[in-house]
Amino acid sequence: MTPALSPNTQAILLLTAPLIAGRGTPSADLLSPGEYKRLARHLREIQRQPADLVSPEAADLMRACQPVVDEARLQSLLGRGFLLSQVIERWQARAIWVVSRADAEYPRRLKVRLREDAPAVLYGCGDMALLESGGLAVVGSRHVDDSLIDYTMAVGRLAARAGRTLVSGGAKGIDQAAMRGALEAGGKVSGVLADSLEKTTMNREHRNLLLDGQLVLISPYDPSAGFNVGNAMQRNKLIYALADASLVVSSDLNKGGTWTGAVEQLDKLKFVPVYVRSTGGSTPGLDALRSKGALPWPNPQDADAFEAVFEAAAPTPVPPPQSGLELFSEDGPSGVAPTTLPGPETTPAIDAPNEPVPPSAAAPISEPHEPTPEPAPSAALTPEANPAPTTASTPADTLFAAVRGAIQELLKTPMKDAEVAAALDVSNAQAKAWLQRLVDEGVIEKQKKPAGYIVKQSSLFE
């Protein structure tokens, strides 16, 4: 039986979710993740919560939110109640549950580590408790040979024998091999999907595993959503945030979701130790990750040796990668993510939830929010090879200096404007405007094969 949706979760779904019922119902003008973060912060500042937007007194509150989100747009989104009731019925028939950051049931690991960058809503099927069990994240390329499939399945089986949860992304290739190995050996698996949650949960092969508590599948995207490159790249951080250690079995060099997620973990997020495969022949991608600080996988052969991989010193955490972009999201810094999570024997309060919650609901998981001054633009966002212009003279210049550095980091490999928009949590129109400005400045260029924007070659060399 799926838990009932809280009033806050229902309001957040109306504001942010496409609510796809059947064959791709057209979406309203949804709030982007960045827009929703601003609205949630505004509601918190005026001591209100999302559920208040659908209360009888909502008209006055929507007017109070006008500086953040247009009142007419809020009314349009919040007026989708009938469509919401249809998709809730559809989800419940498929045992799909939904939780929001305002709910005490929301995975604590994501809220602690990702803070305001944690997805506003999570959809899932299976035992939610598995999401708090940590374990080993295994990631890798989609297109690999049989020898790597066998290798990865063996890692999954060993995780099962050691009683450790296996965390992966559910994509074909390495992800599915790791999950299959663990499940066939009777282990527990947490899968973080970038698309097609509903279709995957209805697969006969998965259904009994989900119902028996051996498998949990989650996604920050609508259960009926199809594949999207930007979504696939954005969900990588969730895989690492749910784990205690990680193993990269294969990776391309300077491209692809596996590479992007591993580099983000090594350079910025630093939630868990990152290992790379150390047998069967090296590759440029794995060698490059080693040079960035990844550890050689020690190839444990039994459960005791497997446990040792979790004892490696975790890297020193830094603020989430979008903290430097908070100048234009109007959010305060999300802070430093803890390297390790408190054990079950202690229950310290964690940072204030990203949505205001009534005192009775918030008591176990929140603490008073203390405003933090906005940071100056982070120099770390700007590659040394192409530094941002000197001291900005206006707030707009300061804002764009942060944007310039962030886009340069993204465009070390080609990306389309829609993918850049998804990575930065902004509208496509805003992303296009920024990209065109950087093209005009000669910082990036638009290429045809492969299609997309990329940093100009001259800026890649020091």
Side-chain angles (χ1 to χ4, degrees), residues 183 271 423 440:
L183 291 169
F271 296 148
D440 294 341

Side-chain angles (χ1 to χ4, degrees), residues 315-374:
T316 303
V318 297
Q322 294 184 5
S323 60
L325 303 180
E326 288 156 359
L327 285 167
F328 61 78
S329 73
E330 297 180 10
D331 277 336
S334 55
V336 177
T339 301
T340 57
L341 297 168
E345 69 279 0
T346 60
T347 55
I350 68 172
D351 298 291
N354 297 303
E355 286 72 44
V357 185
S360 59
I365 61 167
S366 66
E367 65 185 20
H369 173 72
E370 297 181 5
T372 307
E374 286 189 344

